[in-house]
Amino acid sequence: MKIICIGRNYINHAKELNNPIPDEPLIFLKPDSAFLAPGKPFFYPNFSKDIHYEGELVLKISRNGRHIEPRFAHKYFEEVSIGIDFTARDLQKKLKQKSWPWELAKGFDGAAALGQFIPKSALPITYSLRKNGKEVQMGNTQDMIFSFDAIIAYVSQFFTLKMGDLIFTGTPAGVGSIAIGDRFEGFIGEQQVLDLKIL
Ligand code: ZN
């Protein structure tokens, strides 16, 4: 299983980190060891002092495919969830300064936390992330720069998509630091799909 992530897919998040708006999807990968199953806690790693949460809609690929046309892309996923793309922001800054890849800052153990998958509903989908009971992020698929279909079409030109692969579709504004003891809850519409503790 591979974990494919899209960076800067919401204008308001690109702006909050002073990043330019991309004209092509920004893609990075996390190894399967980054997968954190629903209900499992996230353990704060000792190599960072500034881990951020990024709440994102995640697609689960349901059939194999490559060179998928946008108009057929919706046939390649049946379920969605909320994931947290944990990012060691201090490490990422250092790597960016050297123009090095982001893997260490984004692909460490537990850095791809997942909620429960639920059957996809009609677009647009709204979702939200709460930190310690307070809403910190709100997203709507209408505000994505690259739609689900555009992402699948683009990525499948480079990587064969396989059943079970996960695609993190980018985070809206409102990212921030985590601390030991925090609790995160993710909602698709009104339905809670993610409940995660930081230990
Ligand atoms: Zn992200």
Side-chain angles (χ1 to χ4, degrees), residues 43-158:
F43 291 97
Y44 205 113
N46 57 16
F47 52 74
S48 174
K49 299 251 176 303
D50 192 22
I51 304 273
H52 274 199
Y53 60 85
E54 296 187 356
E56 312 195 3
L57 279 175
V58 180
L59 314 180
K60 187 191 274 183
I61 295 298
S62 55
R63 51 191 280 210
N64 298 356
R66 59 194 291 256
H67 297 294
I68 298 161
E69 287 181 47
R71 65 198 168 110
F72 297 129
H74 65 277
K75 298 178 180 225
Y76 287 80
F77 69 100
E78 302 298 333
E79 292 179 308
V80 297
S81 187
I82 306 264
I84 300 185
D85 166 18
F86 284 114
T87 304
R89 201 67 80 195
D90 44 0
L91 195 49
Q92 188 192 31
K93 260 183 211 140
K94 252 195 244 172
L95 295 166
K96 277 184 180 173
Q97 279 165 5
K98 298 183 183 177
S99 299
W100 285 6
W102 297 356
E103 271 76 5
L104 293 179
K106 290 268 197 186
F108 52 86
D109 288 358
L114 265 300
Q116 300 287 350
F117 279 88
I118 60 170
K120 69 179 177 188
S121 54
L123 297 177
I125 297 173
T126 59
Y127 64 102
S128 61
L129 189 73
R130 291 183 197 165
K131 176 184 170 183
N132 303 327
K134 184 171 165 274
E135 188 171 285
V136 287
Q137 287 192 284
M138 233 271 284
N140 186 317
T141 51
Q142 278 175 325
D143 299 326
M144 296 169 83
I145 300 169
F146 301 102
S147 67
F148 291 164
D149 293 351
I151 292 168
I152 287 172
Y154 183 82
V155 164
S156 69
Q157 295 177 61
F158 301 88

Side-chain angles (χ1 to χ4, degrees), residues 176-197:
S177 300
I178 66 167
I180 290 169
D182 283 346
R183 180 184 184 189
F184 288 90
E185 296 166 283
F187 297 81
I188 294 178
E190 299 296 308
Q191 188 176 353
Q192 181 164 8
V193 296
L194 177 136
D195 189 352
L196 181 151
K197 286 277 287 183

